[in-house]
Amino acid sequence: MYRAIRGTRDILPEEMGLWHRIEDTAREVFELYGYGEMRVPIFEETTLFSRSIGKHTDIVEKEMYTFTDRSGKSLTLRPEATAGVVRAWIEHHLDQRALVGRYYYIGPMFRYERPQKGRYRQFHQIDAEIIGESHPAVDAELIEMLFFYLNRLGLKRANLMLNSIGCPRCRPGYLDKLRRQVKAKLTELCSDCQSRSERNTLRIFDCKNTNCQGIINELPAIEDHLCSECSRHFQQVQSYLRRFGIEYKVSPRLVRGLDYYTRTTFEFTYPGLGAQNAIMGGGRYDGLVALLGGKETPAIGVAIGSERLVLALKEEGISPPEAVSTFLVTVGEEAFQRGMELIRELRHQGVFCLSDYQGRSLRGQLRLANKLGCQAVLILGEDELKKGVVTLKMMSDGSQQEVALDLLPSTLRRLLYG
Ligand code: AMP
């Protein structure tokens, strides 16, 4: 028997209501804030990701699904979508064409990570990007929108962590200092931290090893080493957040795993999700457009983990809304044939209707309708055929009435969808 590849999962219809809720609400909310949907390819040239995410990151070093196509080109299944959106933005000259550089996209991402609850090798993200804006109010507005989105979903307990990781002017000086202090403690750190210390020092803050944590907590915080512009930007972001009444915690440890971030970084966590409790993360990437060959352009974005939102909704006991449904029970061949016409007409009139095609008995069909949780049952037998009616039974109170066939769609619409 074939099984889904480790780290991938099938999303079955029973869970799909939650996915629709997550995606529909994202569309609704993001469009209210001026974002337009963009869809970029699932695979791109490998170097697009290695250049933008950074060679010495976990994603590029260990997690990319890279393959050579039949022409010998190295391609990679996207581990994240920002690089693709920025590539598209440059390729289509959106700096000249788009009046509002706000985009969102929804789709699968691929990373060869160790699978566990909330962490998969194929997972889904909903992302929002603002390209061409540097004002700190934009950073705060993006975060504010995310809270609004979560509230709309019914997820009211998210925690926000915030940091600034500076810019190419102030970060190198801080990194030098950090490297020197890390070097002095090198032998006490785990092997992962030791290898990160030279190549990607900032990533030491990501280490979960309890032994390293004590040392990490003593390291200098970047917040105290920002240049005056970065410091002002960070202060202003916080002042807008306060204006919006948003609670947050500044966390010097929030360095994010991708190289392209500058200034504001943030992460939302949700209680009750276990080890993988980050539901979304993002930040500024003012250098990425230029790095990929475009003009110097500021930008900021967020990536939301859809699977983790589904887990959070389940954790909160929020279930998909129950679908309104009707079941047509037929008795006898003639009624079945007439029933096929009737069910077609009902569906064309916007009424959800199911039926039996296996010749079940009257009782069998009623039992099935009950199991399906149908709100209404239509019975069409010889008597009804003669009279040109159906018997409509409401499952909520067991009440029954005869309804003329031509009045059926409008009656059902009124009773069930009213
Ligand atoms: P990142 O692109 O790493 O900043 O991740 C953004 C968000 O995507 C995280 O906060 C998670 O919610 C989600 N995410 C990242 N990696 C995975 C994964 N392997 N499986 C499921 N969700 C993920």
Side-chain angles (χ1 to χ4, degrees):
M1 188 180 63
Y2 288 112
R3 288 185 169 276
I5 302 295
R6 186 168 137 80
T8 70
R9 58 191 286 273
D10 303 307
I11 305 166
L12 301 177
E14 63 207 38
E15 197 183 270
M16 203 50 87
L18 292 177
W19 284 80
H20 287 170
R21 185 182 177 119
I22 285 169
E23 294 176 356
D24 294 349
T25 309
R27 288 198 164 89
E28 198 182 298
V29 168
F30 295 1
E31 289 185 10
L32 211 54
Y33 282 71
Y35 294 78
E37 184 167 359
M38 191 190 277
R39 298 188 191 184
V40 291
I42 278 174
F43 52 85
E44 303 262 4
E45 274 184 53
T46 299
T47 55
L48 174 74
F49 299 116
S50 52
R51 277 183 74 189
S52 55
I53 297 168
K55 281 206 170 64
H56 300 305
T57 54
D58 281 355
I59 292 183
V60 173
E61 278 182 344
K62 303 184 209 159
E63 297 170 1
M64 294 209 302
Y65 279 92
T66 298
F67 60 98
T68 310
D69 78 357
R70 288 173 190 275
S71 73
K73 207 175 194 133
S74 177
L75 303 176
T76 293
L77 296 185
R78 61 182 186 197
E80 55 100 52
T82 305
V85 168
V86 170
R87 187 225 8 95
W89 194 81
I90 299 169
E91 185 174 335
H92 302 288
H93 305 287
L94 294 181
D95 56 332
Q96 291 152 36
R97 287 173 44 202
L99 297 176
V100 184
R102 294 181 172 218
Y103 310 96
Y104 73 90
Y105 48 92
I106 298 176
M109 308 293 154
F110 306 86
R111 293 183 197 171
Y112 193 80
E113 291 194 85
R114 198 167 46 77
Q116 63 179 96
K117 182 185 168 203
R119 189 162 71 191
Y120 311 96
R121 290 181 173 169
Q122 175 174 335
F123 59 100
H124 297 76
Q125 286 184 339
I126 303 174
D127 297 53
E129 317 282 355
I130 304 175
I131 308 180
E133 303 278 7
S134 61
H135 201 289
V138 169
D139 307 27
E141 190 206 77
L142 174 64
I143 290 171
E144 182 279 320
M145 177 182 84
L146 296 168
F147 272 110
F148 180 55
Y149 169 59
L150 289 173
N151 275 338
R152 277 262 172 123
L153 287 177
L155 300 175
K156 302 191 194 277
R157 297 190 295 140
N159 297 306
L160 167 64
M161 282 189 308
L162 191 69
N163 195 20
S164 171
I165 55 166
C167 68
R169 259 194 316 274
C170 51
R171 196 158 41 190
Y174 167 73
L175 285 179
D176 273 349
K177 189 168 175 183
L178 190 65
R179 245 179 245 124
R180 276 199 305 276
Q181 296 213 8
V182 168
K183 217 172 191 169
K185 302 270 179 187
L186 205 58
T187 50
E188 297 166 49
L189 291 165
C190 72
S191 58
D192 264 357
C193 282
Q194 291 187 0
S195 72
R196 282 171 183 154
S197 71
E198 270 308 314
R199 295 178 308 149
N200 193 347
T201 323
L202 222 42
R203 289 297 313 284
I204 283 190
F205 286 102
D206 275 350
C207 186
K208 301 279 186 298
N209 184 315
T210 39
N211 205 28
C212 298
Q213 306 250 325
I215 299 167
I216 291 165
N217 287 337
E218 298 298 310
L219 293 172
I222 192 159
E223 198 194 348
D224 304 326
H225 295 80
L226 297 176
C227 61
S228 56
E229 283 90 353
C230 285
S231 177
R232 196 173 331 117
H233 186 95
F234 195 36
Q235 292 311 320
Q236 286 183 7
V237 172
Q238 295 180 61
S239 123
Y240 280 106
L241 288 179
R242 285 194 295 270
R243 199 177 264 272
F244 297 148
I246 287 173
E247 282 181 33
Y248 60 90
K249 206 173 145 222
V250 173
S251 166
R253 308 168 55 95
L254 194 69
V255 293
R256 314 274 301 134
L258 289 66
D259 268 7
Y260 56 60
Y261 285 108
T262 51
R263 294 193 168 169
T264 313
T265 56
F266 61 86
E267 190 168 89
F268 284 64
T269 56
Y270 210 80
L273 299 190
Q276 302 304 318
N277 65 349
I279 51 171
M280 56 179 83
R284 267 206 170 272
Y285 50 92
D286 292 343
L288 184 59
V289 179
L291 180 74
L292 294 181
K295 277 189 273 177
E296 204 65 56
T297 311
I300 183 167
V302 63
I304 304 169
S306 303
E307 279 79 3
R308 297 196 189 165
L309 289 190
V310 169
L311 287 171
L313 286 173
K314 288 183 178 167
E315 190 64 29
E316 293 289 4
I318 299 170
S319 44
E322 252 180 48
V324 171
S325 56
T326 309
F327 195 95
L328 174 68
V329 171
T330 61
V331 186
E333 183 56 26
E334 203 189 332
F336 177 82
Q337 289 175 9
R338 179 71 185 90
M340 290 301 101
E341 280 173 59
L342 185 62
I343 199 169
R344 168 176 181 262
E345 200 183 318
L346 286 174
R347 287 168 177 164
H348 287 199
Q349 301 279 334
V351 175
F352 179 114
C353 196
L354 297 168
S355 189
D356 166 58
Y357 305 87
Q358 296 179 11
R360 286 183 176 86
S361 66
L362 175 64
R363 275 184 67 193
Q365 293 182 59
L366 287 171
R367 210 178 300 129
L368 178 58
N370 206 23
K371 273 196 195 150
L372 287 167
C374 292
Q375 283 92 343
V377 169
L378 308 169
I379 302 166
L380 187 61
E382 267 177 40
D383 264 7
E384 283 89 357
L385 271 182
K386 268 189 219 134
K387 290 200 231 164
V389 298
V390 291
T391 302
L392 165 62
K393 179 174 177 185
M394 298 305 289
M395 300 303 264
S396 53
D397 56 5
S399 64
Q400 275 188 211
Q401 59 176 308
E402 286 187 347
V403 182
L405 283 176
D406 54 344
L407 293 179
L408 191 59
S410 58
T411 308
L412 285 176
R413 288 211 61 85
R414 181 166 45 78
L415 288 176
L416 298 175
Y417 298 83

